[in-house]
Amino acid sequence: KLAQADAKATLMLNQTWKAEQPWLLYADDCFGAMRNLIRGRFDEAERLALRSLSFAKPPRPEFEDFFWIAMLTPYEEKGRLCEIRPMAINAVGQKPMMPIYRAMLAQIQCALGEIDAARENLEQLTVNDCEDFGHDFSYAACLTALARVCAYLGDAPRAAILYQRLESYRAMNVS
C-alpha cells in the first residue's frame, strides 16, 4: 500500500511544484520528509524538513512546529535534541492549550537530562488523568510521548493510566 500511496503522491507533487505556491511546496516537503522518516531515511527527511522551512515567508510558527516534531526521533538518535529544544519551548508558549507540544517537550527534557522540568510537565498534563485532553489528531501521539516520559522517569502509576488510554490503539503502530 505504501508503494501505491507513493505513486499517487508523486503524481500530485509533480503538479504542486508546477504551481509554485509556497504553502503547497511546504506541504510537499513535509510529506516527503514523513515518507522518508517511515523508511528510516533520517538524513533525507531532515533535508526536506529543513527545506520546508525556506517556504515560510514571512516565518510561520506552524512551519517550525512541523520541523521540530518531525525531527524529534532522528535528532534524539543523533544526540541533537538541544537544537530543537528552543522550538519546542516556543510552541508550548505559543499554544499552551495543545498538550502534544508540552508532552513532546517533556520527552526532549528527559533525553537531555532535565528531569525536574520533564516531571513538572508530566504532572501538569496528567492532573486529571488525561481526561481533559481533546480527542483530536494529536491525541494518540500525545499519550505515546507521555508514556515515553513515564518510562524515562520510572512513573509506573501514570504509565498504567496511559496504558489504559492507549489500549484502544493496540492494533496500530503508535510511536
Side-chain angles (χ1 to χ4, degrees), residues 39-83:
R39 289 181 172 86
R41 299 179 189 152
F42 292 166
D43 291 337
E44 179 62 9
E46 180 181 12
R47 185 187 72 73
L48 291 171
L50 282 168
R51 188 172 72 177
S52 76
L53 293 176
S54 71
F55 298 118
K57 306 267 190 289
R60 296 171 63 168
E62 61 271 22
F63 284 35
E64 192 174 270
D65 290 345
F66 164 78
F67 178 79
W68 75 265
I69 290 170
M71 292 296 103
L72 199 150
T73 298
Y75 277 32
E76 184 172 12
E77 292 290 320
K78 295 177 178 185
R80 295 174 54 195
L81 284 176
C82 58
E83 295 176 37

Side-chain angles (χ1 to χ4, degrees), residues 79-132:
R80 295 174 54 195
L81 284 176
C82 58
E83 295 176 37
I84 60 173
R85 182 180 171 277
M87 293 177 193
I89 291 170
N90 185 50
V92 169
Q94 294 288 324
K95 300 172 189 102
M97 300 308 293
M98 292 190 67
I100 184 66
Y101 293 135
R102 188 173 299 279
M104 291 186 157
L105 172 60
Q107 187 176 329
I108 291 169
Q109 290 167 327
C110 283
L112 293 176
E114 300 170 3
I115 302 306
D116 291 338
R119 188 175 310 282
E120 182 179 324
N121 279 317
L122 176 65
E123 289 171 2
Q124 286 180 24
L125 287 167
T126 59
V127 165
N128 297 319
D129 296 339
C130 307
E131 289 286 340
D132 46 358

Side-chain angles (χ1 to χ4, degrees), residues 131-159:
E131 289 286 340
D132 46 358
F133 285 14
H135 288 261
D136 63 7
F137 66 94
S138 67
Y139 180 73
C142 184
L143 295 179
T144 303
L146 290 175
R148 290 190 72 188
V149 171
C150 286
Y152 276 116
L153 300 177
D155 192 325
R158 286 189 179 97

